[in-house]
């Protein structure tokens, strides 16, 4: 049966602590939008580590990517009603309700960060990987997955830093909101400028992919090996059953063994694993699973021959939307072989023990301890 994207489940599984099983089932229909765009990370990972293949395929390969100049992106002043509903969280409140005076104090502290210098370095290339949730073409969608990838040529290092979607930021022309709202209003350019202004890291380039097709993309890659605990297997299988039922596919062919272990996962299994919020520290640990899946997928691609990589890239590059011009792509290609030997490190912001949670606009927001956070992030990327 052909896939109908509008029929996908959307179980929102928000919250920063475990819920009971009844609550999980109640919200099981609301979380498809929170799957996160592993697909864009896969695609960009392949682009990065197989630059020689891109070079051979030349302009025809590049033309399969959806390049969008910054001035051509869709911008909106007001989100459609359906989009506004999707930005609200159904999670149980855990944040502290703050007074107007306390909120003004938080805003003032954030405004004072403008005095901190934005860092840039010619030896470091920063690109924002964006996983987009979008139900229709009336708006850009929320960027529910954001990973800042920094390639440090001076130190032979690649950093992948997850920027959590619930981080409370000031978006130019919009106001104070979740970080993921920036993409909804102004797509990649507004998100990049918001990240630059907020985190004082110069980010000009982004690559985005809608998450609806990531099951197929992972299957195109050929799957991925993951270490999965019994607890993770139980929760992931719930998502797998939902997705397979929606596609009228036999879910028994995709279930993860209850005992877990080292599993070579297909697309359904990897997506189910990446969606887990109910094992460990909720959304914080889910971002860790995303980065884990990405690094494991890159390991799979590294083992491919040039012919295999070429075939895979031709099949999936059409999913990428980005503002990286062709001339920049070619300049990066000459350095691609070196990247294979680079050290990879992963982290996320907010950092542990360096944030608070407040309850604003009917949802929880993460407020980092900004000065130490920015210092640590800049040290991570620039050394």
């Amino acid at each position: 049966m052909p896939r109908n994207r509008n029929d996908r489940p959307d179980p929102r599984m928000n919250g920063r602590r475990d819920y009971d099983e009844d609550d999980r089932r109640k919200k099981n229909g609301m979380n498809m939008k929170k799957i996160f765009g592993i697909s864009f990370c896969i695609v960009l990972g392949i682009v990065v580590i197989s630059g020689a293949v891109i070079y051979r395929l030349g302009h025809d390969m590049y033309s399969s990517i959806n390049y969008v100049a910054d001035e051509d992106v869709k911008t909106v002043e007001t989100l459609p009603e359906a989009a506004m509903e999707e930005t609200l969280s159904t999670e149980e409140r855990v944040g502290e309700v703050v007074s107007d005076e306390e909120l003004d104090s938080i805003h003032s502290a954030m405004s004072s960060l403008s005095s901190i210098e934005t860092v840039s370095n010619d030896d470091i290339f920063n690109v924002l990987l964006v996983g987009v949730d979008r139900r229709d073409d009336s708006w850009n969608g929320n960027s529910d997955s954001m990973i800042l990838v920094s390639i440090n040529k001076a130190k032979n290092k690649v950093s992948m830093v997850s920027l959590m979607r619930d981080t409370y930021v000031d978006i130019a022309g919009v106001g104070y909101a979740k970080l993921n709202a920036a993409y909804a209003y102004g797509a990649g350019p507004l998100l990049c400028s918001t990240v630059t202004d907020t985190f004082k890291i110069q980010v000009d380039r982004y690559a985005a992919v809608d998450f609806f097709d990531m099951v197929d993309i992972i299957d195109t890659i050929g799957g991925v090996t993951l270490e999965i605990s019994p607890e993770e297997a139980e929760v992931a299988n719930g998502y797998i059953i939902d997705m397979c039922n929606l596609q009228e596919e036999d879910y028994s062919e995709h279930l993860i063994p209850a005992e877990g272990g080292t599993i070579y996962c297909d697309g359904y299994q990897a997506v189910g694993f990446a969606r887990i919020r109910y094992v460990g520290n909720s959304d914080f640990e889910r971002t860790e699973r995303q980065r884990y899946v990405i690094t494991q997928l890159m390991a799979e691609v590294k083992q491919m021959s040039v012919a295999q990589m070429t075939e895979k890239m031709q099949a999936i590059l059409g999913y990428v939307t980005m503002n990286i011009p062709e001339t920049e792509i070619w300049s990066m290609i000459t350095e691609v072989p070196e990247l294979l030997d680079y050290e990879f490190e992963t982290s996320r912001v907010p950092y542990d023990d360096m944030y608070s949670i407040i309850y604003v606009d009917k949802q929880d927001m993460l407020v980092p301890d900004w000065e130490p956070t920015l210092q640590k992030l800049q040290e991570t990327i620039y050394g």
Side-chain angles (χ1 to χ4, degrees), residues 77-118:
E77 294 183 0
T78 304
L79 297 181
E81 182 177 350
M84 293 298 295
E85 291 176 356
E86 289 175 14
T87 63
L88 291 178
S89 172
T90 59
E91 65 190 10
E92 178 183 349
R93 178 178 67 81
V94 298
E96 176 186 358
V97 177
V98 295
S99 65
D100 291 340
E101 292 77 12
E102 290 171 322
L103 192 59
D104 287 341
S105 178
I106 291 173
H107 293 170
S108 177
M110 294 169 66
S111 297
S112 69
L113 300 174
S114 60
S115 62
I116 298 178
E117 181 181 358
T118 297

Side-chain angles (χ1 to χ4, degrees), residues 92-305:
E92 178 183 349
R93 178 178 67 81
V94 298
E96 176 186 358
V97 177
V98 295
S99 65
D100 291 340
E101 292 77 12
E102 290 171 322
L103 192 59
D104 287 341
S105 178
I106 291 173
H107 293 170
S108 177
M110 294 169 66
S111 297
S112 69
L113 300 174
S114 60
S115 62
I116 298 178
E117 181 181 358
T118 297
V119 182
S120 63
N121 187 312
D122 291 341
D123 286 330
I124 296 175
F125 178 76
N126 295 319
V127 59
L128 193 62
L129 307 185
V130 186
V132 182
D133 160 40
R134 178 177 56 199
R135 306 305 175 77
D136 57 64
D137 293 331
S138 65
W139 64 307
N140 295 310
N142 289 317
S143 54
D144 278 340
S145 178
M146 294 159 285
I147 300 180
L148 178 59
V149 175
S150 299
I151 302 172
N152 189 325
K153 293 179 286 186
K155 293 185 176 294
N156 296 340
K157 182 180 71 172
V158 176
S159 301
M160 293 193 300
V161 182
S162 295
L163 306 177
M164 294 189 67
R165 60 185 176 84
D166 291 340
T167 304
Y168 192 50
V169 299
D170 187 7
I171 304 172
V174 176
Y176 293 97
K178 286 183 177 182
L179 178 59
N180 72 342
Y183 197 94
Y185 283 97
L190 182 58
L191 178 59
C192 285
S193 64
T194 301
V195 171
T196 296
D197 294 341
T198 302
F199 297 99
K200 307 304 178 183
I201 302 293
Q202 189 64 46
V203 182
D204 300 311
R205 303 306 183 198
Y206 70 90
V209 168
D210 194 311
F211 64 74
F212 286 116
D213 293 305
M214 72 179 169
V215 168
D216 294 328
I217 292 176
I218 294 173
D219 285 338
T220 298
I221 299 277
V224 59
T225 301
L226 302 173
E227 291 286 344
I228 302 177
S229 71
E231 294 79 13
E232 290 172 328
E234 180 182 3
V235 177
N237 281 336
Y239 294 120
I240 293 169
I241 291 172
D242 289 340
M243 291 185 288
C244 288
N245 284 342
L246 191 67
Q247 303 302 323
E248 297 186 1
E249 184 165 343
D250 184 3
Y251 62 77
S252 66
E253 299 293 324
H254 303 281
L255 292 179
I256 299 170
E259 66 275 13
T262 302
I263 311 296
Y264 196 78
C265 297
D266 62 18
Y268 282 110
Q269 293 168 331
V271 169
F273 174 80
R275 292 176 62 182
I276 296 171
R277 292 185 63 116
Y278 290 86
V279 178
N281 191 14
S282 188
D283 199 34
F284 290 86
E285 196 160 318
R286 182 168 64 173
T287 65
E288 183 178 338
R289 292 187 184 95
Q290 294 169 12
R291 297 189 300 273
Y292 172 51
V293 171
I294 295 168
T295 55
Q296 291 297 96
L297 281 165
M298 292 180 70
E300 295 291 337
V301 175
K302 286 181 182 180
Q303 300 177 34
M304 295 180 183
S305 67

